[in-house]
Amino acid sequence: QVQLVESGGGFVQAGASLQLSCTASGRTFSNYAMGWFRQAPGKERGFVACISWSGFTTYYVDSVKGRFTISRENAKNTVFLQMNSLKPDDTAIYYCTAYGTRTALPGNEVDYWGQGTQVTVSS
């Protein structure tokens, strides 16, 4: 069983930055793609970003392109989401995800979900 533990959420002002981290356990981390989803109040959970096993391929939802960066450190079984220029619309619970394949596209099925970490951006 894979376990994903997120950290780094918080309450910030618009324009600020936050870095989310997710540490995985339970299987060989470096063999699988990872990602982040988010769910805003009253909205469905949606894709944010994903990264291939090697870190060389990444995808982002249009609304975060140029502001968010997903990265991974396989030696530490950790994936990151660096969020810059945060906006109130970024307020959501952010979920770390693990895929069952080495690469992933935004519409691919997620195998595992973390518990989520709250990010709140005030105007």
Side-chain angles (χ1 to χ4, degrees), residues 31-87:
N31 284 350
Y32 300 95
M34 300 290 294
W36 290 92
F37 279 63
R38 67 184 179 184
Q39 186 168 19
K43 296 186 177 180
E44 293 187 354
R45 194 159 49 183
F47 170 83
V48 176
C50 63
I51 187 167
S52 65
W53 68 279
S54 63
F56 289 157
T57 304
T58 58
Y59 293 95
Y60 299 90
V61 66
D62 285 347
S63 59
V64 308
K65 285 179 181 177
R67 300 188 299 121
F68 290 13
T69 302
I70 187 171
S71 62
R72 64 190 296 160
E73 190 167 347
N74 286 343
K76 295 186 177 181
N77 291 353
T78 301
V79 62
F80 305 95
L81 186 67
Q82 177 66 42
M83 305 184 294
N84 299 328
S85 303
L86 282 162
K87 305 175 181 179

Side-chain angles (χ1 to χ4, degrees), residues 6 14-15 22-24 86 109 115:
E6 302 101 332
C22 170
T23 301
L86 282 162
E109 182 178 357
Q115 292 297 310

Side-chain angles (χ1 to χ4, degrees), residues 6 20 34-39 45-50 81 92-99 105-110 112-113 116-117:
E6 302 101 332
L20 306 183
M34 300 290 294
W36 290 92
F37 279 63
R38 67 184 179 184
Q39 186 168 19
R45 194 159 49 183
F47 170 83
V48 176
C50 63
L81 186 67
I93 299 173
Y94 284 73
Y95 297 91
C96 177
T97 61
Y99 295 88
L105 297 172
N108 286 171
E109 182 178 357
V110 170
Y112 298 99
W113 297 84
T117 185

